[in-house]
Amino acid sequence: MSGRHATKHAGGHRGALRKQVAGRLGWGIADQAVSSLGNFLLGVFVARLLGATGLGALGLAFLAYSVALNCSRALSTDALMVRYSVSDHDARKQAMAASGGVALLVGAISGVICLLIGFGLKLHTPGSEVGAAFVALGIVMPGLTFQDSWRSAFFAAGEGAKTFVNDTVWTVLMLAVLFGGRYLDFGITAALLAFGGTAALAGLYGIRQSGVLPRPAHAVGWLRRHSDLGPRFLVENVVLGAGGQVRTLIVAPTGGLAAAGSIRGAEMLIGPVAALLMGVGQVAVPEAARALQRGDRALWRLCAGLSGGLSAMALGWGAVVLVIFPLGLGELVLGSVWPGAHALVLGVIVSAAAGCLHVGPSAGLRALGRADRTMQCQIVVTSLFVGLAAIGGVLWDAQGVVWGSAIASVAGVGIWWSRLAKSRHEYARTTAEGAAV
């Protein structure tokens, strides 16, 4: 083959690879859009039928749900995405069965905890909507974690279309039940039972899609085999989830509820960026693992492309918000919250754009199996995030919280990328030494 033809062939191969990666990323974004729509419509349903009290109870239940999902993913499917995205079909199916079993067990344990909290609240405060919400969540939690496990399993297999179909089935079933519930005496308990019950049905449909039956009996073996990843991912996921909640606790006493509302309003304006970030994040680790099979340079290019592309989109949407929303759209969307949110939106945009630059190195480190370094990075960056937000809140109220968070996000870029560069060099050296032997 001539040099020109070889170059053309290599270029065509790279072009085909880019199309495949783009297609899988596209399924991740589409799936996130469906999931976000379902959660949003559930919130709208509860807000309209049950009012502010019901919406507040739903928010607390969703906080517990997000904690359980983070724990389930850390112990079950995060290792699946790292170690089985490039494995053979049979090995991946066995891994899917074991990780699905772990997800069911984590859901069952989380469900028991929610039931205890719910019954305790109901005993302490009869008629408590929060207690009712936790009881309902406890009943359906195993179905929720099990359904979520298919998302990672299908993405690890490069079958994002199946994830999209599964989440679409869940959303359609949930909306059908909620719509029917409009004509009944539908309370927070029934709404959450509908949310989790339809998730369980979608989880059962996942068995048909995959041909894999979850095996809780294999859960202990799975946890033992991946003990170098699971506990570290658990710490990382919990720290990441707790960071945002701690910031909310900081804002309220320092700046008041109005300041917290203004920050929330500014964050809502960049909601499309958050949805895009979560969609790509679902697929980033399997794609990084596949890139690593082609070498550490391919991994580096993928990580840089993911981070750079996301950050550019965040800045582009930020420009739209800064230029167009002051012309009346901002007030239309946020009403009386708009003036306070408008004053904070630039800092939120900077924070979001910098946060997008963390995605690539986080995925790259996970693909390299460096759970120790992802945990370290997450702890350091989240500590900066909370600490600088707290200092900023004391000195400058809501503006200080937002810009403290932004500075922490910018500093985090250097922390994440330096760790990836170091791990990449270590991997390249170890690979070269292995080849020499």
Side-chain angles (χ1 to χ4, degrees):
M1 184 182 290
S2 68
R4 183 174 63 183
H5 287 143
T7 301
K8 183 177 180 181
H9 177 74
H13 180 63
R14 285 194 296 271
L17 280 175
R18 281 195 292 269
K19 287 182 180 179
Q20 291 172 5
V21 172
R24 291 191 289 263
L25 290 172
W27 282 119
I29 294 168
D31 174 70
Q32 184 58 47
V34 170
S35 297
S36 298
L37 177 65
N39 291 343
F40 173 74
L41 292 176
L42 175 65
V44 170
F45 174 87
V46 171
R48 291 180 66 87
L49 292 188
L50 305 178
T53 303
L55 190 60
L58 180 69
L60 290 173
F62 259 61
L63 175 59
Y65 167 51
S66 67
V67 171
L69 278 192
N70 281 336
C71 293
S72 176
R73 290 170 180 174
L75 297 174
S76 62
T77 54
D78 280 357
L80 175 71
M81 298 179 85
V82 169
R83 290 183 168 157
Y84 293 91
S85 294
V86 292
S87 66
D88 63 78
H89 180 69
D90 290 339
R92 187 184 298 116
K93 288 188 72 171
Q94 292 176 9
M96 288 167 67
S99 64
V102 175
L104 275 172
L105 285 179
V106 172
I109 294 169
S110 302
V112 169
I113 294 172
C114 287
L115 285 170
L116 292 174
I117 293 173
F119 284 125
L121 289 171
K122 288 172 73 69
L123 286 173
H124 184 265
T125 310
S128 167
E129 289 203 28
V130 176
F134 270 85
V135 169
L137 184 65
I139 294 170
V140 298
M141 187 68 85
L144 287 165
T145 56
F146 178 50
Q147 190 278 335
D148 183 76
S149 71
W150 290 123
R151 181 177 288 117
S152 299
F154 289 139
F155 280 133
E159 298 174 332
K162 289 185 178 180
T163 304
F164 175 78
V165 170
N166 194 279
D167 277 332
T168 300
V169 167
W170 178 19
T171 301
V172 171
L173 288 173
M174 180 184 69
L175 293 180
V177 175
L178 291 177
F179 182 78
R182 292 176 60 196
Y183 305 103
L184 303 172
D185 186 17
F186 227 50
I188 187 68
T189 299
L192 280 168
L193 289 176
F195 176 69
T198 51
L201 292 176
L204 293 174
Y205 179 61
I207 295 175
R208 180 178 177 182
Q209 287 178 291
S210 63
V212 174
L213 194 66
R215 298 192 177 277
H218 295 180
V220 174
W222 176 268
L223 294 172
R224 187 182 296 117
R225 285 194 301 275
H226 304 290
S227 60
D228 58 325
L229 298 181
R232 292 185 173 98
F233 285 156
L234 181 62
V235 172
E236 181 184 346
N237 289 359
V238 170
V239 168
L240 178 61
Q245 303 304 323
V246 170
R247 192 183 72 166
T248 302
L249 296 175
I250 291 169
V251 176
T254 57
L257 290 177
S262 295
I263 293 175
R264 178 59 185 149
E267 290 174 340
M268 287 175 64
L269 295 176
I270 60 162
V273 175
L276 183 67
L277 187 63
M278 288 187 287
V280 172
Q282 293 183 116
V283 194
V285 175
E287 290 305 323
R290 294 184 186 103
L292 185 60
Q293 290 292 102
R294 303 191 297 273
D296 63 289
R297 290 185 180 180
L299 175 68
W300 185 267
R301 285 195 299 268
L302 176 79
C303 294
L306 287 176
S307 285
L310 284 170
S311 187
M313 291 179 186
L315 291 173
W317 177 251
V320 171
V321 172
L322 289 172
V323 173
I324 296 178
F325 275 62
L327 302 179
L329 186 57
E331 190 171 357
L332 179 66
V333 173
L334 295 180
S336 61
V337 178
W338 164 246
H342 183 216
L344 304 173
V345 75
L346 179 60
V348 172
I349 291 167
V350 172
S351 184
C356 288
L357 294 175
H358 301 179
V359 173
S362 174
L365 285 168
R366 287 195 169 208
L368 289 165
R370 296 311 304 260
D372 54 338
R373 286 186 176 157
T374 60
M375 182 182 70
Q376 292 166 7
C377 288
Q378 198 61 67
I379 290 173
V380 171
V381 173
T382 301
S383 298
L384 278 174
F385 184 82
V386 173
L388 292 178
I391 294 170
V394 171
L395 298 178
W396 199 14
D397 294 333
Q399 285 282 2
V401 171
V402 167
W403 282 104
S405 302
I407 293 169
S409 293
V410 172
V413 175
I415 294 169
W416 277 106
W417 281 98
S418 65
R419 297 300 185 276
L420 177 60
K422 183 176 181 180
S423 298
R424 177 200 172 195
H425 292 149
E426 290 173 354
Y427 174 83
R429 184 173 63 250
T430 302
T431 303
E433 291 171 354
V437 174

